[in-house]
Amino acid sequence: MANGEQRLSFERPIHELESRLEILKKNSDSLEVRDEIQRLRLGLADLKKKVYANLTPWETVEVARHPDRPQTVDYLETVFNEFIELHGDRKFRDDRAIRTGWAKLDEFKVMVIGHQKGRNIKERNACNFGCAEPEGYRKAVAKMKLATKFHLPIICFIDTPGAFPGISSEERGISQAIAESMFEMSQLRTPIICVVIGEGGSGGAIGIGVGDRVAMLEHAYYSVISPEGCAGILWKSRDFKENAAKALKFTSRDLLQFGIIDTIIQEPAGGAHSDRHLMSSRMKQFLRSSLRELSRIPVDQLVEERYKRFRNVGVFFEHAENQISAEETSQENQ
């Protein structure tokens, strides 16, 4: 493990095994030691798979927030052949929490929209830690409309704790900006692919999350509220964040089961941050296949199915009898 890399609490057995390996590598002259190193390497790979296959919801949040996790700019560098950034909403300023621009993925020319958190303190302050303000969503909508004008697909990378909740953001209409973004995305006449690559927090995420195909990385999360926020409301204390994480049902497996997302993109053993090259390769494979699939679907059908899909999110019946009873009541009222 590289010096300075953040270590998560549940990774302790992995760290201990890695430390043993480092010690043995310094004394690998004998055949017995080399055999032991090989054995430990195989054991380490198996341990990573086992640990990351059984993460709790809160541990998933920790992985999704890992400071070394690939962000939008990382995928722009490794997945796409070219990227030309476009700035500003033509009304107020350029919001660095959302990046937009033309890109090329093999034979496809696309528009990429994505949240950006930043790596160091300077970048994070400039990006508002990935929390976009109204101008960020207005910029996104303007660039999406530009892509539609040229009949080019749109790819959105979602990675935000939520939209910026400050007074300045409210004064400039953050809720309206998000609502308008969702409305516009629901009727854009071009394919839209959305991928939750880290945190998918509340309206900040759904503001660029209305798509024909919605995917999540295996250890990302997508939720109406953060675990800390939920714990503060229901339990009156952030100390219950693990309980809240479990109750929110926001992991990729949960959301695939609920039909909120279409696909889970598997991460390397140890999380996306442990092998960025492999993660980028899997991301590129998913985007390439999705673009080819969506390009064969008539635009009218895309728009109609996209709208129905998001109108049905959150609609459910606990029992079939309740559904029949509700329908009978509706008919009586008519």
Side-chain angles (χ1 to χ4, degrees), residues 255-286:
L255 297 181
L256 183 64
Q257 183 178 355
F258 296 149
I260 305 298
I261 65 170
D262 303 295
T263 306
I264 297 174
I265 304 176
Q266 297 298 316
E267 298 187 25
H273 59 279
S274 67
D275 192 338
R276 294 188 182 187
H277 178 76
L278 179 56
M279 188 68 256
S280 296
S281 176
R282 291 177 179 177
M283 177 69 75
K284 187 171 185 176
Q285 183 179 358
F286 164 75

Side-chain angles (χ1 to χ4, degrees), residues 300-314:
D300 289 336
Q301 183 181 339
L302 275 180
V303 175
E304 182 180 358
E305 291 180 355
R306 186 192 309 152
Y307 179 79
K308 287 180 179 178
R309 168 203 185 96
F310 280 86
R311 289 294 294 175
N312 288 331
V313 169

Side-chain angles (χ1 to χ4, degrees), residues 36-51:
E36 178 67 7
I37 289 174
Q38 182 62 23
R39 187 185 68 80
L40 286 179
R41 281 176 175 166
L42 294 174
L44 180 60
D46 290 338
L47 181 60
K48 282 184 178 180
K49 289 179 182 178
K50 183 178 179 180
V51 168

Side-chain angles (χ1 to χ4, degrees), residues 227-252:
E228 295 92 335
C230 178
I233 293 171
L234 297 183
W235 286 275
K236 310 303 180 187
S237 172
R238 291 164 58 96
D239 295 339
F240 293 89
K241 59 190 178 185
E242 295 185 34
N243 302 63
K246 184 177 180 180
L248 283 166
K249 301 290 185 183
F250 54 31
T251 67
S252 58

Side-chain angles (χ1 to χ4, degrees), residues 111-148:
M111 174 67 74
V112 178
I113 317 283
H115 293 104
Q116 179 64 23
K117 291 180 175 180
R119 289 288 178 205
N120 53 46
I121 292 299
K122 183 178 179 181
E123 286 182 5
R124 288 170 184 168
N125 285 330
C127 297
N128 227 358
F129 291 78
C131 299
E133 297 189 69
E135 46 274 17
Y137 294 99
R138 292 182 182 125
K139 174 173 73 170
V141 169
K143 291 357 175 205
M144 289 180 191
K145 288 182 176 179
L146 184 62
T148 304

Side-chain angles (χ1 to χ4, degrees), residues 89 93 95 97-98 115 128 130-141 160 162-183 201-208:
D89 67 339
R93 66 177 175 86
D95 189 341
I98 290 185
H115 293 104
N128 227 358
C131 299
E133 297 189 69
E135 46 274 17
Y137 294 99
R138 292 182 182 125
K139 174 173 73 170
V141 169
T160 178
F164 183 65
I167 293 175
S168 61
S169 186
E170 294 292 344
E171 288 176 338
R172 295 196 300 277
I174 184 63
S175 58
Q176 182 176 350
I178 291 174
E180 289 177 353
S181 181
M182 294 171 63
F183 173 76
S202 192
I206 197 69
I208 58 169

